[in-house]
Amino acid sequence: MARGEAPERNAAGREGAPILEVRDLVARYGQITALKGISLTVNEGQIIALIGANGAGKSTTLRVISGLLRPATGDVLIQGRTIRWATPRAIVCMGVVHCPEGRRIFTRLTVLENLRLGHYTRGKTDLDPAMARVYKLFPILEERQSQLGGTLSGGEQQMLAIGRSLMLRPKLLLLDEPSLGLAPLLVQQIFETIAEINREGTSVLLVEQNANMALRMADRAYILETGRIALEGSGPDLLANDAVRKSYLGEL
Ligand SMILES: Nc1ncnc2c1ncn2[C@@H]1O[C@H](COP(=O)(O)OP(=O)(O)OP(=O)(O)O)[C@@H](O)[C@H]1O
Ligand SMILES: [Mg+2]
């Protein structure tokens, strides 16, 4: 596989039931309306990309889905159930886990402690298999398990952040800019791991500024522009779209 190419995926049979439906979602921070009525769907087993420039509302979308920000109007359904009254913790229990932008690991705790904390809502059940799965995906984390989070490299911190989210065994993983600030080789590795996580059965809503990689790996993508969905379509369709190539792929 050439460098910079997302791993090839077989898109056949990837139309499961909706795991996430966002309907006419409006979200505000005080006077600022960050989301102006967006709708999107993730079906079971899919990777769906959400692309957009700085300030478009990508992180806000994930914050509403994970219950950190209440919608002004509109709704979010997880497997057909509204989250309108659900706490962030209840949403985790519904199988939706948010890996936020900027990594947010505990810098003064070890890798092992970070992963154990990721598991806290599940009590003592399945701790070992969950840990084994994370170490299989990210062998470097096992090597570094006694090292403090804050002393890991940027790429390792990103792996730890994703690993910590996986400890909760999500049905749907919300990933906010996992490739940000990483060297090309590491970007490639993170995307390959996301594909692997998906193959093991986790649906993914992937927020990315690396539109090229995200569109190559996604079943479908939405382009967000200042709080509105400007375009949606399959990855190949959007990669071939002139407006997308100009605005998000730096071409033309
Ligand atoms: N806590 C906040 N208080 C007020 N305004 C906010 C807050 N967080 C975000 N915003 C505003 O909401 C809009 C959407 O922000 P958001 O973080 O969702 O964008 P984004 O698409 O994730 O951008 P980026 O690519 O830079 O991460 C922006 O105009 C931003 O300034
Ligand atoms: Mg953001």
Side-chain angles (χ1 to χ4, degrees):
M1 185 166 50
R3 228 171 105 168
E5 259 175 44
E8 260 187 55
R9 312 176 62 248
N10 175 8
R14 298 177 62 83
E15 284 296 315
I19 189 161
L20 173 74
E21 292 161 90
V22 172
R23 293 186 181 162
D24 302 323
L25 192 65
V26 175
R28 299 198 177 99
Y29 299 102
Q31 300 293 312
I32 297 167
T33 304
L35 299 179
K36 301 168 184 166
I38 69 160
S39 298
L40 61 86
T41 303
V42 180
N43 292 329
E44 277 169 8
Q46 286 185 321
I47 299 181
I48 300 297
L50 187 58
I51 313 279
N54 293 118
K58 305 180 298 295
S59 299
T60 302
T61 305
L62 298 193
R63 272 184 223 126
V64 174
I65 297 168
S66 59
L68 300 174
L69 179 68
R70 291 276 154 207
T73 59
D75 206 358
V76 174
L77 307 180
I78 297 169
Q79 292 186 307
R81 291 164 62 202
T82 179
I83 63 152
R84 210 171 305 149
W85 298 280
T87 61
R89 184 175 170 147
I91 291 168
V92 167
C93 293
M94 292 163 91
V96 176
V97 177
H98 183 179
C99 188
E101 71 187 322
R103 290 148 202 173
R104 310 272 171 82
I105 58 161
F106 297 100
T107 55
R108 301 180 76 169
L109 297 182
T110 66
V111 168
L112 187 64
E113 287 163 342
N114 266 278
L115 291 175
R116 282 209 180 116
L117 269 176
H119 192 263
Y120 78 106
T121 54
R122 299 187 67 96
K124 286 209 163 67
T125 52
D126 299 334
L127 176 64
D128 292 342
M131 198 78 88
R133 180 185 179 213
V134 171
Y135 286 159
K136 186 159 167 278
L137 284 166
F138 301 112
I140 188 80
L141 293 183
E142 186 164 21
E143 280 174 38
R144 301 290 159 95
Q145 59 179 318
S146 313
Q147 195 171 319
L148 293 184
T151 65
L152 297 174
S153 74
E156 290 162 354
Q157 290 190 13
Q158 185 61 66
M159 294 177 200
L160 180 55
I162 297 174
R164 195 179 56 183
S165 300
L166 291 176
M167 293 298 288
L168 291 162
R169 302 212 167 224
K171 291 181 199 156
L172 172 66
L173 184 59
L174 310 174
L175 282 175
D176 199 344
E177 311 237 24
S179 77
L180 193 70
L182 303 185
L185 212 56
L186 219 49
V187 171
Q188 179 76 20
Q189 197 185 328
I190 288 281
F191 274 89
E192 277 170 24
T193 308
I194 294 167
E196 174 68 24
I197 291 166
N198 176 250
R199 273 195 297 274
E200 290 176 0
T202 306
S203 311
V204 178
L205 180 57
L206 174 66
V207 162
E208 261 298 331
Q209 289 211 21
N210 190 333
N212 192 17
M213 293 284 275
L215 290 175
R216 278 177 205 287
M217 86 180 315
D219 292 289
R220 219 150 30 78
Y222 296 85
I223 311 267
L224 197 55
E225 279 176 10
T226 54
R228 290 200 170 83
I229 303 287
L231 270 175
E232 66 175 279
S234 73
D237 282 354
L238 292 176
L239 279 168
N241 179 297
D242 281 350
V244 173
R245 295 171 75 90
K246 190 172 173 199
S247 303
Y248 300 100
L249 302 173
E251 295 179 16
L252 303 178

